[in-house]
Amino acid sequence: MPLRTPYRLLLIASAAPALALALMPAAASAAGGPGRYTTIDVPGAADTVAVGVNDQGVVSGFYTDSSGSNHGYIDRDGTLTTVDVPGAAATFATVMNDFGVLVGYSIDSSGDAHGFIDRDGRFTAVNAPGAGPASGQGTFVANMNNLGVIAGFYIDASGVQHGFIDRHGGFTTINEPKAGTASGQGTNVGYINDLGQVTGSYTESNNNTVAFAGPPGRLSTVSDPLAPAFSTLTAAINDAGVVAGEYFDASEVVHGFTDLRGTFTPVEDPAGTEGTDVTGISNLGVVVGFYIDSSGSTHGFELSPAR
């Protein structure tokens, strides 16, 4: 899997400002605690990953078919629609905003990544200036908020990651000053909410990875207290400031969490005997991600908070 939302998917939505303010108490009170888990499996798929969920409950992500090819999908109340960028070798959908605009990235026949915007089947490419045009390089789009602002990262010709925010074609690069500048290092951005707060991480020159969340220029480090040092990753942030992410324990098993201003709540799908990875959260506190079962297969999940 290339990312996880990114980031990382990255691999892996919000509401208009007035509505977001109205929803803040609900989102804050539903920060990923006990609730109802629903498995998401694309029929016939070998593996399914859920990446994002919007405030209409539309889940987006990607799956691997029986031949090993990757496709995006949209899940509307159990009705699944496959998404393939025309001409692409692989498609990875990430997040659909509340206006029905889907974003993600695709891989071409040369192995280069290109972001995309999908408006009802009309695809527009997103290629960050400076992205490398070679296998394993390119542009990875994580999400688009309801204001049309895109977040993600790109990998340059030297293999270094750079976060970016794309405001209607105007790109702003985000490079954490502490990030390393060698191949496999740098900064990635995994999400942007309607208030302009982002999530992501940077990799230092000693290859330690540090997760962050908050407004660009005033980012705060995020580290789950249950996690070993430098093993926490952040995936998404809703308009109430609830951060969703995961960490890897000493045995490399992944564990999900939500974080509301330093209060961490575990998210562990009971079916995920080999780990649970959280990739997205809506303003209503609905959490999505994927779990790994005892056979090593990957399944998407949705966690609806208890009311």
Side-chain angles (χ1 to χ4, degrees):
M1 188 183 315
L3 338 158
R4 232 172 325 193
T5 174
Y7 31 55
R8 292 178 348 108
L9 259 66
L10 248 160
L11 75 310
I12 252 120
S14 21
L19 179 58
L21 292 173
L23 289 174
M24 277 188 180
S29 64
R36 178 172 56 87
Y37 286 87
T38 302
T39 294
I40 301 172
D41 280 325
V42 174
D47 292 286
T48 301
V49 172
V51 180
V53 57
N54 67 17
D55 287 341
Q56 278 71 53
V58 179
V59 177
S60 48
F62 58 88
Y63 68 94
T64 305
D65 65 23
S66 57
S67 65
S69 297
N70 293 297
H71 311 267
Y73 73 86
I74 302 167
D75 177 5
R76 295 182 175 90
D77 295 321
T79 299
L80 289 97
T81 303
T82 292
V83 177
D84 285 315
V85 173
T91 299
F92 299 87
T94 52
V95 177
M96 174 178 281
N97 70 13
D98 290 342
F99 295 101
V101 181
L102 178 70
V103 296
Y105 64 96
S106 64
I107 308 297
D108 65 22
S109 58
S110 299
D112 187 17
H114 306 271
F116 71 80
I117 303 169
D118 173 12
R119 295 181 174 90
D120 295 322
R122 301 188 306 275
F123 289 86
T124 302
V126 178
N127 290 307
S135 180
Q137 300 171 3
T139 302
F140 301 83
V141 168
N143 84 299
M144 172 192 280
N145 67 17
N146 286 328
L147 305 178
V149 181
I150 291 173
F153 68 92
Y154 67 90
I155 301 176
D156 66 22
S158 299
V160 180
Q161 297 183 13
H162 307 268
F164 72 82
I165 295 173
D166 171 13
R167 294 178 175 86
H168 310 288
F171 284 81
T172 300
T173 299
I174 298 178
N175 287 319
E176 164 58 43
K178 297 178 183 178
T181 57
S183 179
Q185 300 173 358
T187 304
N188 76 68
V189 173
Y191 199 89
I192 186 166
N193 65 15
D194 281 351
L195 306 181
Q197 299 165 325
V198 301
T199 59
S201 65
Y202 62 91
T203 303
E204 301 172 317
S205 58
N206 59 7
N207 290 320
N208 286 335
T209 298
V210 179
F212 59 72
R218 291 178 291 147
L219 297 170
S220 299
T221 298
V222 178
S223 181
D224 192 308
L226 299 178
F230 307 111
S231 68
T232 299
L233 293 166
T234 53
I237 182 170
N238 69 13
D239 287 347
V242 183
V243 175
E246 66 282 325
Y247 72 87
F248 292 85
D249 66 22
S251 299
E252 295 298 318
V253 176
V254 65
H255 304 270
F257 68 81
T258 60
D259 166 28
L260 177 58
R261 293 187 287 274
T263 298
F264 287 78
T265 301
V267 178
E268 302 278 3
D269 192 308
T273 56
E274 300 303 313
T276 300
D277 196 315
V278 172
T279 58
I281 185 169
S282 74
N283 285 321
L284 301 177
V286 178
V287 173
V288 296
F290 61 92
Y291 68 84
I292 304 168
D293 66 21
S294 58
S295 67
S297 295
T298 300
H299 309 264
F301 77 83
E302 177 179 338
L303 169 60
S304 301
R307 299 296 185 187

